[in-house]
Amino acid sequence: MGSYGNNGKINLEELNENLKKNIEGLTYQGNSISDTNKIKNLPEIVIVDGYKVKIWESGDVTLEGENSQKPPVYEVAVPGEKVEGEKNKIYTKNGTAVIPVGFVIVPGLDDVEEGLVISDNIEDTEENINAKVAKGNQFVWIPVTDETKYERNTTYYDINVSTSSNDDTGYLPEGIINEEQAVRNVKGFYISRYEAGKEGTKLVSKKEANVWDNISQEEAKSAAKTMFQDNNHVKSALLSGTQWDMTMSFITRTPLRKDGLGINDYDVTKDHSSRHIGDNVAKAGNNEADKVCNIYDLEGNAWEFVAEKNTYERNLPVNGRGGFYINFDGRGASARLDDTGNAETAASFRLVLYVI
């Protein structure tokens, strides 16, 4: 997937570079791929660990002799057009994203590098989102390339976390066995554009929704799985601590802030006076200053439970992430805060969508 060009087709120059860089021992026409020995047309066969592997124009790969039929070509999603049928589509604009069946790329918000936005309602546009009349649940693609390490950043603030990659339990949705593998299968994941909202008893990710606060971490794990639970193409869950940090890595165009409190984190709003400060949690997406890569409320509204255990013995058992409206020390988007995990009015949560 890292070799697709902006036209949705395999870019041979990028393909040769990726094969040369990422697959040890691969040979082509008896030699390793180099500037003088490289693939010029597709389909073509390369040798990997003694196996003949055919690379098709579509980007599919098959073992030679095991599949005599040409595999289907990946279809390219079009902004504003809902993906229908049985197969997800891809979209390439300054990166590659997988667009799941049942969703639409919001027109005008289709740049992977800037934060590609999808919705489950075809009527959603950038204009009606800004006008606060959007109807769908919205999510932002976080790309995870083959070169990207999938791990926590344990340097933020002074809270210790387990050295295991994912030490929390009970947060993965049905059908997802391994968090990292599920993400790497499609080279990314979707993060809810807004803090978890509530319409009656229904979980939503919508601008101007009432933020679902006063919920415990265990309750958040259960609630997060209810959105799209009958969907065969996506599954929702509570965002993990690793996924929060991968999101922070994605938004690193904002600078690190260091202050006298010893906090080392990403500060989204930069000017602390511009974040939402008040007596309570505001509605989702209320503050435009707290938007980065089209993601809202990473700091300055509620702080958010994630699936992340805190193992430092003198601290509390789970972690929340980000800044929040109380702003007692101005924590930024990436900061950790240890907590009991009990329900409280300052705490909410955020979703991840695993694409299947």
Side-chain angles (χ1 to χ4, degrees):
M1 288 184 67
S3 301
Y4 283 101
N6 289 335
N7 61 357
K9 298 180 180 179
I10 289 293
N11 181 299
L12 286 173
E13 182 177 345
E14 293 184 6
L15 175 66
N16 281 289
E17 283 299 312
N18 286 330
L19 292 176
K20 180 170 64 175
K21 179 171 57 177
N22 295 317
I23 304 182
E24 186 176 352
L26 178 145
T27 62
Y28 168 61
Q29 295 182 343
N31 297 290
S32 59
I33 288 181
S34 65
D35 291 339
T36 56
N37 183 61
K38 56 187 178 181
I39 294 173
K40 299 179 178 61
N41 296 288
L42 294 176
E44 192 54 86
I45 294 174
V46 297
I47 308 297
V48 183
D49 294 332
Y51 291 96
K52 293 182 178 181
V53 181
K54 180 174 282 189
I55 304 172
W56 297 87
E57 299 98 322
S58 63
D60 284 279
V61 294
T62 57
L63 287 180
E64 185 68 356
E66 290 196 3
N67 188 345
S68 59
Q69 294 183 344
K70 183 176 179 178
V73 175
Y74 285 115
E75 292 189 38
V76 178
V78 177
E81 294 184 10
K82 189 175 183 179
V83 176
E84 296 180 321
E86 296 298 322
K87 295 184 178 180
N88 301 326
K89 295 185 178 182
I90 63 167
Y91 185 74
T92 54
K93 183 176 180 181
N94 291 323
T96 301
V98 178
I99 315 302
V101 172
F103 289 80
V104 58
I105 302 170
V106 177
L109 301 175
D110 62 341
D111 190 307
V112 173
E113 202 170 76
E114 294 178 1
L116 178 142
V117 180
I118 62 170
S119 172
D120 62 357
N121 191 305
I122 196 171
E123 296 181 25
D124 281 359
T125 64
E126 187 175 8
E127 290 73 22
N128 67 24
I129 292 171
N130 293 334
K132 303 177 182 179
V133 295
K135 298 179 180 180
N137 295 291
Q138 295 154 28
F139 301 86
V140 176
W141 177 252
I142 306 297
V144 179
T145 67
D146 289 334
E147 296 79 19
T148 305
K149 289 184 178 180
Y150 194 80
E151 61 186 9
R152 295 174 183 161
N153 185 330
T154 58
T155 66
Y156 300 135
Y157 196 42
D158 60 349
I159 303 299
N160 286 7
V161 295
S162 168
T163 55
S164 63
S165 59
N166 297 292
D167 67 302
D168 208 346
T169 58
Y171 67 98
L172 289 174
E174 184 178 357
I176 302 298
I177 306 301
N178 181 283
E179 174 190 322
E180 179 177 356
Q181 188 58 54
V183 170
R184 290 204 180 277
N185 284 344
V186 293
K187 302 186 187 298
F189 60 90
Y190 283 98
I191 184 175
S192 54
R193 194 179 187 197
Y194 308 101
E195 290 173 330
K198 200 173 186 182
E199 291 181 348
T201 60
K202 185 179 180 181
L203 175 63
V204 297
S205 174
K206 298 180 180 180
K207 193 178 183 72
E208 290 295 295
N210 292 318
V211 171
W212 192 337
D213 60 358
N214 202 24
I215 184 172
S216 72
Q217 195 235 20
E218 285 297 322
E219 291 170 334
K221 289 181 189 179
S222 297
K225 299 175 188 178
T226 62
M227 186 182 286
F228 309 120
Q229 58 187 344
D230 297 323
N231 193 302
N232 293 324
H233 300 280
V234 294
K235 295 294 180 184
S236 64
L238 179 65
L239 194 78
S240 74
T242 301
Q243 288 161 343
W244 188 283
D245 288 333
M246 299 303 291
T247 302
M248 292 299 105
S249 178
F250 178 63
I251 65 171
T252 52
R253 283 162 286 185
T254 57
L256 282 170
R257 173 175 62 88
K258 296 183 179 180
D259 60 25
L261 294 169
I263 300 171
N264 179 16
D265 59 15
Y266 295 123
D267 187 10
V268 172
T269 56
K270 300 180 185 178
D271 176 7
H272 291 264
S273 64
S274 66
R275 68 174 65 184
H276 167 68
I277 304 297
D279 297 324
N280 49 46
V281 175
K283 289 189 174 183
N286 179 265
N287 186 12
E288 289 294 320
D290 185 22
K291 179 180 76 171
V292 59
C293 295
N294 289 319
I295 307 167
Y296 284 84
D297 301 328
L298 290 171
E299 63 186 33
N301 203 24
W303 62 275
E304 304 171 26
F305 282 128
V306 293
E308 180 177 75
K309 294 291 188 182
N310 171 29
T311 59
Y312 196 33
E313 63 181 9
R314 74 180 186 186
N315 289 92
L316 300 172
V318 302
N319 288 327
R321 302 299 298 269
F324 58 111
Y325 70 90
I326 296 174
N327 196 40
F328 63 89
D329 63 6
R331 284 188 176 96
S334 59
R336 286 182 173 89
L337 180 65
D338 58 318
D339 190 84
T340 62
N342 297 330
E344 52 188 283
T345 55
S348 183
F349 62 102
R350 193 177 294 262
L351 299 174
V352 59
L353 281 191
Y354 294 96
V355 180
I356 301 171

